[in-house]
Amino acid sequence: MVWITTAAICLAAVTSVAARVCVLGTEPDDSAGGRVRFVLPPGDPCSCTQVMLGGHNAYAPPRKDQPVYIDTLPMNAEGLRRSQGCPNKNAQSEDPKKTSTSLDETLAIPVAGEVVYTDCQQALSYDQRTSGVYTIDKEGTFNVYCDMVENTKGYIVIQRRNDGSVNFNRSWADYEKGFGDLNGEFWLGNDKIHKLTFDGLPWELIVTLTAFDGTVAVARYSDFQIKELKDMYEIAIGFDGGDAGDGFDTKHFSAFDKDNDDDSKNCAKILGAGWWLSHCDESQSNLNGVYYTTPMSIGGINYKGIYWSTWKFETLKATEMKIRQITT
């Protein structure tokens, strides 16, 4: 195959022992409606330091690896590593509040002398006015991204999409624990969101949506909670308004290996994302869907995309969900 030959040539040209050029072939994925997927190179994708595009195969044999699609993966080694859940090579451990960004490390105990807050609002009250990664303690110590809005409100960001660098087609366990990069794309984790919000106090949720034409819309919710039931995470919210409309139409979270939707089919498996899904072709939102680099009308296979149909009936460029405990 052409891409293997190209890989051999590229690898031979690399003089550094630590460097590894990975050449990705492409082929159609009939199970995903013919979308073009990458053929991962042999070896550990986490060791790739450079990515190049190789040849195209017309025949697509069954593959066991996690599919990586050409329309969602930036053509760089960091994007490939993120799609495969590789450790963050840039993460440092000297100062968890400022430098630790991998969600795989969010339960680590902070270094001696590190200030730990109950939430971002408390960090703001201690004059921490810069948005970034902070350490909090809420039935366990972990890191969160704090959005310090106008130096008056400290929000905990629980989800962010902006470039397709992170694969959101994850298992129930991944969505429970959390994944991604706190300074990039990530899902904080249902277990952490439950620990944060299930304290009997009111929390607000702000959903910010960005379209490909640059327009922005917001949906605001009060009394936000994630309840942990037996084998289930249930959302409780009250819509407070906003120009995006109310995009939540079901209570129970689903993943491809935990079907809790209202449809006879497994919607999370079909749509390629964990989310509060009602029906496979009728759910009002799916902010964890497949990332498309251009706007696409929602319908058929494009229900796999990132959308909030009460605002726009097309896939979105960026999304963010953030929460804050409401204080008097």
Side-chain angles (χ1 to χ4, degrees), residues 135-188:
T135 302
I136 66 172
D137 188 355
K138 192 81 170 185
E139 296 188 28
T141 304
F142 52 93
N143 290 339
V144 298
Y145 189 94
C146 292
D147 183 12
M148 305 306 192
V149 179
E150 299 177 352
N151 294 329
T152 58
K153 297 179 180 180
Y155 287 91
I156 299 173
V157 181
I158 63 174
Q159 187 259 21
R160 186 189 296 125
R161 308 291 302 277
N162 52 30
D163 60 9
S165 58
V166 173
N167 177 19
F168 274 65
N169 189 14
R170 302 288 188 119
S171 68
W172 178 266
D174 285 343
Y175 272 101
E176 184 172 55
K177 178 183 178 183
F179 56 85
D181 185 335
L182 286 173
N183 283 316
E185 293 195 331
F186 68 91
W187 179 260
L188 184 61

Side-chain angles (χ1 to χ4, degrees), residues 15-16 27 35-36 38 42 58 102 107 110 130 146 150 205 215 227 230 270 296 305 309:
T15 56
S16 172
E27 62 187 17
R35 290 176 63 201
V36 177
F38 284 118
S102 172
L107 294 180
T130 303
C146 292
E150 299 177 352
L205 166 68
T215 57
K227 302 177 181 179
K230 183 179 180 181
I270 293 173
M296 303 182 71
S309 64

Side-chain angles (χ1 to χ4, degrees), residues 155 158 203-207 219-224 235 237 248 321-324:
Y155 287 91
I158 63 174
W203 286 72
E204 65 173 333
L205 166 68
I206 305 295
V207 180
R220 296 188 301 271
Y221 296 87
S222 60
D223 297 325
F224 171 73
I235 189 172
I237 49 176
F248 290 104
M321 301 171 65
K322 57 188 180 184
I323 60 175
R324 183 180 73 98

Side-chain angles (χ1 to χ4, degrees), residues 49 51 67-68 82 100 137 158 193-195 212 257 285 293:
T49 58
V51 171
V68 182
R82 286 177 176 174
S100 178
D137 188 355
I158 63 174
I193 303 171
H194 164 69
K195 289 177 178 178
F212 280 92
D257 56 347
S285 67
T293 57

